[in-house]
Amino acid sequence: YRPLEDAVDPSNMLCAGKDSSSVVEWAQCPGDRPQSQQLLEAQLSYETEWDMVNAVSFRKRRSSNMEGDSHERSRWAFAFSVSDLRSVTVREEGWTFIILQLKDSSTPLPHLHFHQGGSRAFLDSLRRFALLTESPSDHTCLLVSTPNKALSQSFENLLDDNNFGLVHVRSLAVSRHQLLAAVHQSKFKRDPYVTTLGGLSKVTNYLFDEVADLLGEVIPGLEINQQEEPGFEVITRIDLGVRPEVSRKSPLTADDWARHQDADGRMKDVPDLKHAVFKGGLCHALRKEAWKFLLGYYPWESTHEERKTLQREKTDEYFRMKLQWKSVSEEQERRNSRLRDYRSLIEKDVNRTDRTNRFYEGIDNPGLVLLHDILMTYCMYDFDLGYVQGMSDLLSPILYVMENEVDAFWCFVAFMDQMHENFEEQMQGMKTQLIQLSSLLRLLDLAFWNYLESQDSGYLYFCFRWLLIRFKRELSFVDVLRLWEVMWTGLPCENFHLLVCCAILDSEKQKIMEENYGFNEILKHINELSMKLDIEEILQKAEGICLQIRSCKDLPRPVATILGFDVESRCADSTGCGSALASGAARREGGISNGHLRESSCKQSGRGAFVS
């Protein structure tokens, strides 16, 4: 078997269709087929500007002269719905062959043999519209789950079809070797942030048919006993006990900070110092220095001289990268579409980022020039990711505090190391956080969670903006500074920002339920909370929730994993707990954003976009 057309990129696997199932057809390829038969037919939807992909379609076979070829192909062809696929097993016997197992075991499928390679490309393509997870009992077996049409439709409803076209997809031809697709991507993939948020106010319908299955697949061990009769499910209630009262303290002063430095400038009693920052934050005059430590730009154990040396090295490195894009001529840029797109998007975003703040207001403001230059230089630092809308919101407070181009850039790099997955093409960080948030909310208040489910709001997409840019648009500028420095301590648990979300929802649940808000009213109410939230009250409640969950004796393992309590419990049960504590601290410092540690050597390319 060989590809139908070697020149087509096999890395994309998307297809358009009109029914509710995803269909894949394999056919044996004759040696010499006319090139014209390999062409893909355009199949565009006229109901909206885009359709979530559902099915594969093929050209009709020609009758007379192709009759023999058609008969030969039909002997080997088979078709199945991707939603009926249970697992994919990958085996090696001198070459790779793949075993497809349907949920209906009475219908066996032939094995797919890849004598000339291509199995990895096939699996990568399959992942575009199916979730593949390794089986706990067999590492060669990948369990398959696919979103249904309801889930796809929920993404469609996020967008205003008069303004945004997500994807225009051509029909897909598939051989045993690879899957061929032609996908035209539009404004959504280039501008995921504005596209998504711009359409949120016009969402009219969410369906949640498979949310329980989705949660169970992504968070192993989470068990939901669903009854056969629709509308009922049994979830074991867990007594969390009384939520403890906590108090906040005054911001850390310059004198307090100085007491934690030795004569050479090394920071001492760092855990106590972080705890003080978590409980009260920092006075503004201290932020310029303290943020460099909190973000990891400066090592806590470094001396004054070592930090000066580091800053000189980082300054040279920054301006070398800045010179790369500064020295690109207009003629070169005409041949570099990605750089042109990055520059255009950055210029648009910079001109509308925090323009009411005195640091950025007015025409020809030097702060805007620095904002632009830092974002352009970041494209040179991480060209795979480049620039995605929303990143300017993350840089703006950092530049405001640092008032220095180089320091602001490297602090932004450290922050993006935590936030990187939010902006990648697959947006895996956003998907994971929304599922984790749903798990926490269900544990904390099952009645409220069920109410949201009944109003088609169980996916919690109204929290999308909160998570994407860390409440940047929900709080006043000063409160954003306070919240971020508190979260950067990594205390009191991992993924503390998810508990901040829970604290806000806990404060609003009574009004939402008593007023019997529906989907649109919930969305409108959450959006109207912007600039009306009390950050100190939120932090106080979020810390109380953390202590309440930590004290639970029968805490579900998935929840303990989300908040990093599993590391602490393993440490308590072992004699050599030093390494476990170090591991937990490392995870809190390096991955407090999404609950993931990002390896700098494993950057995924692409820019943010919603993916079903």
Side-chain angles (χ1 to χ4, degrees):
Y1 298 93
R2 61 178 179 80
L4 291 179
E5 184 176 341
D6 293 329
V8 179
D9 179 11
S11 62
N12 294 321
M13 186 177 183
L14 286 173
C15 50
K18 297 181 179 179
D19 61 11
S20 61
S21 64
S22 298
V23 178
V24 174
E25 179 176 339
W26 289 89
Q28 188 178 21
C29 299
D32 297 311
R33 292 203 308 125
Q35 182 71 18
S36 60
Q37 191 177 352
Q38 301 177 17
L39 298 177
L40 301 174
E41 290 183 345
Q43 185 174 341
L44 304 179
S45 167
Y46 296 98
E47 297 177 359
T48 61
E49 291 188 20
W50 66 275
D51 270 338
M52 292 305 294
V53 294
N54 285 313
V56 177
S57 63
F58 298 85
R59 294 184 55 136
K60 295 181 179 179
R61 295 186 178 92
R62 304 183 182 182
S63 53
S64 57
N65 58 343
M66 294 298 294
E67 195 170 306
D69 181 30
S70 175
H71 173 72
E72 177 66 18
R73 290 187 60 189
S74 65
R75 291 201 314 130
W76 297 97
F78 64 92
F80 63 92
S81 171
V82 175
S83 62
D84 293 334
L85 188 60
R86 178 187 299 275
S87 65
V88 177
T89 303
V90 183
R91 297 286 172 81
E92 299 280 348
E93 288 188 5
W95 64 87
T96 301
F97 67 94
I98 289 180
I99 304 171
L100 302 175
Q101 177 67 46
L102 298 180
K103 295 176 182 177
D104 180 7
S105 58
S106 64
T107 308
L109 297 177
H111 300 173
L112 308 180
H113 295 264
F114 295 81
H115 293 277
Q116 299 179 10
S119 59
R120 181 173 297 179
F122 166 68
L123 293 175
D124 289 342
S125 299
L126 182 59
R127 287 186 177 96
R128 287 189 173 270
F129 61 94
L131 179 64
L132 305 183
T133 55
E134 184 175 311
S135 171
S137 58
D138 184 0
H139 72 277
T140 66
C141 179
L142 301 174
L143 303 179
V144 180
S145 60
T146 57
N148 64 1
K149 190 173 181 62
L151 183 59
S152 298
Q153 187 67 25
S154 69
F155 282 100
E156 177 177 347
N157 288 333
L158 281 171
L159 304 179
D160 174 6
D161 59 0
N162 293 321
N163 297 316
F164 306 110
L166 177 60
V167 287
H168 298 292
V169 190
R170 297 185 180 274
S171 59
L172 177 65
V174 186
S175 75
R176 282 185 183 268
H177 189 123
Q178 58 186 199
L179 301 172
L180 312 177
V183 182
H184 295 283
Q185 299 175 341
S186 64
K187 185 174 180 179
F188 180 82
K189 189 169 183 180
R190 295 194 303 271
D191 303 345
Y193 176 66
V194 166
T195 303
T196 303
L197 300 183
L200 275 174
S201 62
K202 302 187 179 181
V203 181
T204 59
N205 183 32
Y206 268 51
L207 301 174
F208 55 94
D209 294 340
E210 294 186 341
V211 68
D213 293 337
L214 184 61
L215 286 170
E217 291 161 358
V218 178
I219 307 179
L222 185 63
E223 296 182 357
I224 301 177
N225 181 18
Q226 293 181 296
Q227 303 294 320
E228 292 183 0
E229 182 177 355
F232 295 88
E233 64 179 26
V234 178
I235 302 177
T236 304
R237 292 181 179 271
I238 297 176
D239 183 12
L240 294 176
V242 179
R243 185 175 301 168
E245 294 289 336
V246 297
S247 60
R248 301 282 298 163
K249 296 183 179 180
S250 300
L252 200 70
T253 65
D255 291 338
D256 296 329
W257 182 266
R259 282 195 290 271
H260 285 82
Q261 276 189 339
D262 64 17
D264 294 325
R266 297 183 183 87
M267 304 306 300
K268 55 185 181 180
D269 300 326
V270 174
D272 292 340
L273 182 60
K274 285 185 177 181
H275 184 263
V277 175
F278 170 77
K279 294 295 290 185
L282 299 160
C283 65
H284 186 70
L286 189 56
R287 286 180 172 134
K288 185 178 296 187
E289 180 179 2
W291 278 22
K292 298 173 187 176
F293 288 93
L294 291 172
L295 284 167
Y297 176 33
Y298 284 169
W300 292 98
E301 67 279 4
S302 61
T303 65
H304 288 306
E305 292 303 319
E306 289 170 343
R307 292 196 287 272
K308 288 180 181 179
T309 301
L310 175 65
Q311 196 165 28
R312 284 194 298 269
E313 294 172 352
K314 291 298 185 181
T315 299
D316 292 342
E317 185 177 354
Y318 172 79
F319 283 106
R320 281 197 302 271
M321 290 186 291
K322 183 175 181 179
L323 183 62
Q324 290 174 1
W325 66 267
K326 280 280 192 181
S327 60
V328 173
S329 66
E330 293 183 4
E331 183 179 355
Q332 286 177 300
E333 191 166 321
R334 282 198 296 269
R335 296 189 296 271
N336 193 331
S337 60
R338 291 186 68 186
L339 184 60
R340 288 198 312 271
D341 290 344
Y342 290 156
R343 187 192 296 273
S344 174
L345 197 54
I346 288 171
E347 289 173 354
K348 291 177 183 177
D349 280 5
V350 163
N351 286 326
R352 57 192 180 198
T353 300
D354 292 325
R355 296 308 301 275
T356 58
N357 188 298
R358 293 185 61 184
F359 191 79
Y360 299 108
E361 68 181 0
I363 302 175
D364 298 328
N365 188 304
L368 297 179
V369 176
L370 292 179
L371 202 64
H372 171 274
D373 289 358
I374 292 173
L375 292 171
M376 284 296 298
T377 306
Y378 186 82
C379 292
M380 300 295 106
Y381 174 83
D382 188 348
F383 206 84
D384 285 341
L385 179 64
Y387 177 78
V388 181
Q389 286 190 315
M391 289 167 58
S392 61
D393 280 294
L394 300 184
L395 172 60
S396 173
I398 294 176
L399 179 58
Y400 170 82
V401 168
M402 293 299 154
E403 299 180 312
N404 177 279
E405 182 177 2
V406 175
D407 291 342
F409 173 82
W410 289 111
C411 288
F412 175 66
V413 166
F415 195 17
M416 281 301 301
D417 282 345
Q418 301 174 19
M419 304 290 289
H420 199 279
E421 285 191 340
N422 283 13
F423 298 97
E424 290 171 358
E425 181 177 1
Q426 302 299 323
M427 297 195 82
Q428 190 57 50
M430 293 302 302
K431 295 177 186 178
T432 301
Q433 289 171 90
L434 286 170
I435 293 171
Q436 291 174 337
L437 178 58
S438 180
S439 299
L440 292 171
L441 188 61
R442 179 164 50 182
L443 173 72
L444 291 168
D445 197 323
L446 182 59
F448 182 48
W449 185 85
N450 283 333
Y451 177 83
L452 294 176
E453 284 281 281
S454 70
Q455 302 301 323
D456 297 345
S457 298
Y459 285 122
L460 306 179
Y461 287 134
F462 49 80
C463 299
F464 182 89
R465 188 172 66 183
W466 297 0
L467 300 173
L468 182 69
I469 52 175
R470 287 298 181 271
F471 308 93
K472 171 63 166 52
R473 300 288 182 89
E474 320 310 317
L475 303 170
S476 68
F477 199 85
V478 174
D479 284 351
V480 170
L481 306 183
R482 175 58 44 81
L483 175 64
W484 285 8
E485 63 198 14
V486 167
M487 291 194 302
W488 290 338
T489 64
L491 300 174
C493 61
E494 294 182 18
N495 290 306
F496 180 65
H497 66 287
L498 298 180
L499 298 185
V500 173
C501 294
C502 291
I504 298 174
L505 295 175
D506 184 74
S507 299
E508 303 301 323
K509 67 180 180 183
Q510 184 175 355
K511 183 175 182 62
I512 291 174
M513 297 176 71
E514 287 182 353
E515 299 291 336
N516 197 28
Y517 283 170
F519 177 84
N520 290 330
E521 290 82 9
I522 293 174
L523 182 62
K524 182 175 182 291
H525 178 72
I526 295 298
N527 286 339
E528 290 176 349
L529 294 177
S530 179
M531 302 301 161
K532 298 178 183 177
L533 299 172
D534 185 335
I535 186 59
E536 292 299 328
E537 179 182 329
I538 292 171
L539 289 173
Q540 186 173 339
K541 180 172 288 189
E543 184 182 358
I545 292 173
C546 177
L547 297 176
Q548 182 185 23
I549 295 176
R550 190 194 296 268
S551 64
C552 178
K553 296 180 180 179
D554 300 317
L555 189 64
R557 175 65 64 84
V559 174
T561 301
I562 292 171
L563 300 179
F565 295 158
D566 57 333
V567 175
E568 298 174 7
S569 62
R570 287 198 301 270
C571 174
D573 294 338
S574 63
T575 55
C577 65
S579 59
L581 283 174
S583 173
R587 289 210 298 172
R588 282 193 290 273
E589 288 192 27
I592 59 177
S593 167
N594 299 331
H596 301 288
L597 276 173
R598 173 173 174 255
E599 297 181 12
S600 58
S601 60
C602 299
K603 300 174 184 174
Q604 298 183 21
S605 62
R607 306 196 299 178
F610 260 119
V611 181
S612 174

